[in-house]
Amino acid sequence: EYEEKTGRAHRPLSPKQNVRKNLDFEPLSTTALILEDRPANLPAKPAEEAQKHRQQYEEMVVQAKKRELKEAQKRKKQLEERCKLEDSIGNAVLTWNNEILPNWETMWCSRKVRELWWQGIPPSVRGKVWSLAIGNELNITHELYDICLARAKEKWRSLSTGGAEVECEDAGFSAADREASLELIKLDISRTFPNLCIFQKGGPYHDTLHSILGAYTCYRPDVGYVQGMSFIAAVLILNLDTADAFIAFSNLLNKPCQMAFFRVDHGLMLTYFAAFEVFFEENLPKLFAHFKKNNLTPDIYLIDWIFTLYSKSLPLDLACRVWDVFCRDGEEFLFRTALGILKLFEDILTKMDFIHIAQFLTKLPEDLPSEEFFTSIAAIQMQSRNKKWAQVKRMLTFDNR
Amino acid sequence: GTSLEEIRPTYTYKVVLLGSTSVGKSSLAYRYVKNDFKESLPTVGCSFFTQILNLEVATVKFEIWDTAGQEKYHSVCHLYYRGASAALLVYDIANKETLNRAKLWLRELEKEFLPDEIVIALVGNKTDLAAEREVATEEGQEFARTEGLLFMETSAKSSHQVDDIFMAIAQELLKREQEKTSVLSQRGGSTADLRESRARTRCC
């Protein structure tokens, strides 16, 4: 019998339309096969089996319908949530624009504003809020930006023509250094958020990023270009006009923590790491001990996080929300965020050895859940034995001398 | 596991990638571990990879430290080579200056390690950029020969000789492992602790 079946298997199967018509619902093609009669050339199903198949099939349909209903409900709920979110963003934009921004000086440190701030600044006012919060201690004007940019362009020109030495006003910094810096900027621009495709050559913000970084190396030749900066400038460009982005960039980099890192002041960086470890031990003693046991020092993961202000390591929307609160709370929030990340992944990190922890933390999962992430950061206490971040840091600076 | 696996030892080696910025250190590591090529972001600090090699005589676990190339990071990150069993000094064959930088790295490693403490490979990357070549194969080869380094030209982009250089490093490490063992057994010492004896010091 087997041979006979296989021998006939190539024959065209009998038409099935009549079977389909008998069904009072439209099944998916694959499940429908269950109800099909066997091809005419094969012996028919026994009645008992046919009955059983029909029953199983009906059960499957019921299950499928249930699932569909659930999915539909879920979609509806998601839609409602999105509408609610959009509403609340809309409301937040109004509050920021009409109430907070016009009264910045008096309102920005109020409790209400601080709370709204934590929720994330709406993208349409984000740049303005960042600018105000970062401030302009350096008194940089748009004109100064133009001057720095003009100087940078001059240097690029003389570099590309292989021309004579640029006048030696940046004495102490060799021409080779400067050249390397300018060359490096070019290389790094194409490697900044490559998947956004806007900073690459030919992209709409390629020249803007180039200009800001070039202008900065002329404004601060003593700092120059340091890898990581391109990411910070890029995030600012996404939220501010060019000259304002430059002003925010220069002022941001002028903050003590950023200066310590971008000038690669090893001693000061160690002070920051040591202060971080005080709060690490306080907040996550078990994980802290595990890291110690594995010789996992904070520089392994903090260098990347602090240098790029998380813009390279977190999804961009989350990074922007970290920046929001960083602008509000200052440097300590960068370290609080680090502890939030460690807390979020405490369970799995505790089970890993050195190399896997290092690997994990320098390449965080791409699908970080934003609410859990911020809940985790919120749970971090930035007080150690009644001492705040700044006090702990000061104490350690003193110790290091 | 089979009885064969039980007698086959496992060695863990720290391998560090050193060299100028943008010579392809991250791309080499990525090609080797994921067998893929994508434009890497500039490395800030250090990133990490692991790879396991099941060889006939042993299992080799590589812990790869892929360091930042920019010199400014040097003062923070130069100690990342501490405790390494092998180092890849990477240069870009289309950029002569990067070979000089690789030579400077060698001088620095020589200060930190005795010759038999570390396997060093000189790696000329980006052979896919043949038209822009600034460093002749012979030049790299000759330098490696006089300094007693492993040498290979690679392309992380086209995958040329990437596996090979890591394999050559593994072979050299295993060879040294055997030499150590035979020296020890001649002295009547035990080999049991050999694997764990590798110190793991880190910076910062």
Side-chain angles (χ1 to χ4, degrees):
Chain A
E1 205 194 19
Y2 175 71
E3 270 176 17
E4 208 174 8
K5 266 190 207 164
T6 50
R8 285 173 186 179
H10 297 292
R11 280 201 204 162
L13 300 177
S14 61
K16 297 164 194 161
Q17 287 89 330
N18 51 343
V19 185
R20 290 251 158 99
K21 267 180 212 148
N22 289 342
L23 299 170
D24 48 357
F25 41 76
E26 238 175 278
L28 297 166
S29 57
T30 46
T31 47
L33 287 174
I34 296 169
L35 269 200
E36 303 282 4
D37 279 334
R38 284 185 181 158
N41 50 10
L42 298 177
K45 284 182 194 174
E48 206 180 313
E49 198 186 338
Q51 174 64 29
K52 193 175 136 209
H53 284 173
R54 197 166 297 125
Q55 215 175 339
Q56 285 175 336
Y57 177 61
E58 274 159 18
E59 277 166 25
M60 284 162 77
V61 170
V62 170
Q63 288 300 326
K65 284 199 167 163
K66 256 194 209 159
R67 251 198 324 269
E68 259 172 45
L69 193 70
K70 243 191 193 157
E71 292 274 314
Q73 280 170 339
K74 206 172 123 193
R75 270 198 303 272
K76 196 172 155 222
K77 215 175 137 201
Q78 276 173 346
L79 192 70
E80 280 170 1
E81 269 167 21
R82 216 176 61 207
C83 290
K84 228 169 83 187
L85 187 71
E86 271 166 22
D87 276 355
S88 79
I89 291 178
N91 288 336
V93 172
L94 288 180
T95 314
W96 282 100
N97 271 329
N98 300 342
E99 293 174 39
I100 306 170
L101 290 176
N103 307 298
W104 180 256
E105 290 305 325
T106 51
M107 274 194 84
W108 79 273
C109 50
S110 73
R111 219 182 121 186
K112 184 191 152 191
V113 174
R114 287 178 63 85
E115 270 165 23
L116 193 64
W117 204 325
W118 175 270
Q119 311 294 321
I121 303 170
S124 62
V125 289
R126 186 166 256 155
K128 250 181 258 169
V129 177
W130 285 359
S131 275
L132 284 166
I134 293 168
N136 188 4
E137 248 190 343
L138 298 168
N139 286 317
I140 299 175
T141 57
H142 286 205
E143 289 70 37
L144 181 58
Y145 169 66
D146 291 336
I147 294 169
C148 293
L149 178 59
R151 237 185 249 177
K153 283 185 171 162
E154 216 171 285
K155 284 182 186 171
W156 285 324
R157 228 174 336 213
S158 73
L159 270 181
S160 64
T161 54
E165 277 301 292
V166 186
E167 70 274 35
C168 291
E169 52 189 306
D170 322 326
F173 309 102
S174 72
D177 267 359
R178 280 200 315 257
E179 180 172 333
S181 250
L182 292 175
E183 277 297 303
L184 194 51
I185 290 174
K186 244 190 263 170
L187 275 173
D188 276 2
I189 287 176
S190 64
R191 303 198 282 174
T192 305
F193 296 119
N195 32 0
L196 293 184
C197 300
I198 52 176
F199 297 107
Q200 282 58 47
K201 213 167 177 77
Y205 292 117
H206 172 269
D207 294 348
T208 315
L209 185 53
H210 200 192
S211 298
I212 289 183
L213 294 173
Y216 186 76
T217 61
C218 288
Y219 175 64
R220 287 302 294 265
D222 57 325
V223 182
Y225 173 73
V226 182
Q227 289 190 318
M229 281 183 182
S230 66
F231 286 87
I232 297 182
V235 172
L236 289 169
I237 288 169
L238 291 174
N239 290 283
L240 286 162
D241 290 336
T242 310
D244 291 326
F246 178 75
I247 294 170
F249 182 73
S250 308
N251 280 284
L252 190 61
L253 262 47
N254 200 46
K255 309 247 172 225
C257 175
Q258 275 58 49
M259 258 304 130
F261 277 74
F262 280 108
R263 296 182 87 148
V264 202
D265 181 335
H266 201 185
L268 261 180
M269 285 168 74
L270 287 179
T271 306
Y272 276 100
F273 296 149
F276 168 78
E277 287 201 294
V278 169
F279 292 91
F280 186 0
E281 184 170 22
E282 190 92 11
N283 280 278
L284 306 161
K286 224 178 87 192
L287 191 62
F288 180 77
H290 181 66
F291 276 32
K292 277 273 173 222
K293 200 182 80 198
N294 281 280
N295 261 326
L296 201 120
T297 47
D299 54 293
I300 293 285
Y301 47 96
L302 281 185
I303 285 181
D304 181 45
W305 293 352
I306 304 296
F307 267 100
T308 64
L309 301 175
Y310 295 94
S311 55
K312 189 156 133 331
S313 19
L314 292 178
L316 197 52
D317 55 330
L318 280 194
C320 283
R321 277 193 65 186
V322 169
W323 280 45
D324 288 345
V325 191
F326 163 58
C327 288
R328 187 191 81 173
D329 292 0
E331 63 182 36
E332 76 166 68
F333 189 71
L334 298 176
F335 297 92
R336 194 176 177 197
T337 301
L339 292 173
I341 295 172
L342 297 181
K343 185 181 166 62
L344 186 62
F345 295 111
E346 184 172 18
D347 291 344
I348 46 173
L349 290 171
T350 317
K351 294 190 189 83
M352 292 180 183
D353 62 358
F354 173 89
I355 191 75
H356 291 98
I357 298 172
Q359 226 176 338
F360 184 90
L361 293 178
T362 50
K363 199 177 181 323
L364 294 171
E366 278 160 27
D367 51 349
L368 278 179
S370 68
E371 282 324 305
E372 282 160 54
F373 177 67
F374 279 93
T375 311
S376 183
I377 299 174
I380 299 296
Q381 292 300 322
M382 288 308 269
Q383 263 203 36
S384 167
R385 296 189 197 97
N386 277 330
K387 290 211 165 51
K388 291 185 175 164
W389 169 260
Q391 291 169 299
V392 170
K393 211 184 72 189
R394 211 171 309 131
M395 245 167 53
L396 290 164
T397 315
F398 193 70
D399 284 354
N400 268 6
R401 277 189 195 145
Chain B
T2 66
S3 58
L4 188 70
E5 276 168 25
E6 278 156 25
I7 53 161
R8 208 177 53 172
T10 297
Y11 297 106
T12 303
Y13 297 117
K14 171 174 167 179
V15 178
V16 59
L17 288 155
L18 303 169
S20 299
T21 183
S22 200
V23 294
K25 296 179 294 300
S26 304
S27 295
L28 279 172
Y30 196 77
R31 168 62 78 186
Y32 179 55
V33 171
K34 311 259 179 182
N35 193 23
D36 198 1
F37 180 82
K38 54 164 196 189
E39 181 143 35
S40 306
L41 307 183
T43 306
V44 174
C46 197
S47 57
F48 301 85
F49 297 86
T50 51
Q51 179 72 303
I52 298 176
L53 275 178
N54 284 306
L55 304 178
E56 215 168 297
V57 290
T59 298
V60 169
K61 287 187 181 172
F62 278 142
E63 298 181 356
I64 302 169
W65 291 49
D66 169 28
T67 63
Q70 193 181 10
E71 268 176 69
K72 292 214 167 111
Y73 282 101
H74 194 91
S75 66
V76 217
C77 301
H78 74 289
L79 292 176
Y80 283 169
Y81 56 62
R82 284 229 177 128
S85 305
L88 282 80
L89 306 181
V90 187
Y91 67 94
D92 172 358
I93 62 145
N95 183 345
K96 178 115 192 180
E97 187 50 38
T98 61
L99 176 61
N100 294 333
R101 180 89 191 106
K103 291 177 181 174
L104 288 180
W105 273 115
L106 179 63
R107 297 285 97 85
E108 185 147 351
L109 290 179
E110 283 168 349
K111 274 185 255 161
E112 181 81 11
F113 295 90
L114 293 169
D116 61 342
E117 280 178 333
I118 187 166
V119 172
I120 303 175
L122 183 68
V123 181
N125 191 37
K126 305 198 189 179
T127 56
D128 50 288
L129 298 181
E132 293 153 54
R133 183 187 277 276
E134 285 184 6
V135 183
T137 308
E138 296 72 32
E139 189 179 350
Q141 208 158 30
E142 183 54 25
F143 178 73
R145 198 185 56 77
T146 53
E147 300 286 342
L149 315 177
L150 297 174
F151 174 75
M152 239 174 248
E153 285 194 342
T154 59
S155 165
K157 193 168 190 176
S158 75
S159 188
H160 177 62
Q161 297 210 114
V162 177
D163 282 352
D164 307 54
I165 186 61
F166 280 96
M167 182 57 91
I169 288 167
Q171 302 288 10
E172 179 62 27
L173 284 165
L174 290 176
K175 200 182 93 196
R176 293 188 182 191
E177 213 67 66
Q178 264 169 354
E179 285 164 6
K180 266 191 278 178
T181 312
S182 58
V183 169
L184 276 180
S185 54
Q186 275 165 15
R187 289 186 195 149
S190 152
T191 62
D193 303 326
L194 204 65
R195 259 172 279 159
E196 304 305 325
S197 66
R198 194 169 51 89
R200 276 186 151 189
T201 14
R202 281 185 189 98
C203 99
C204 304

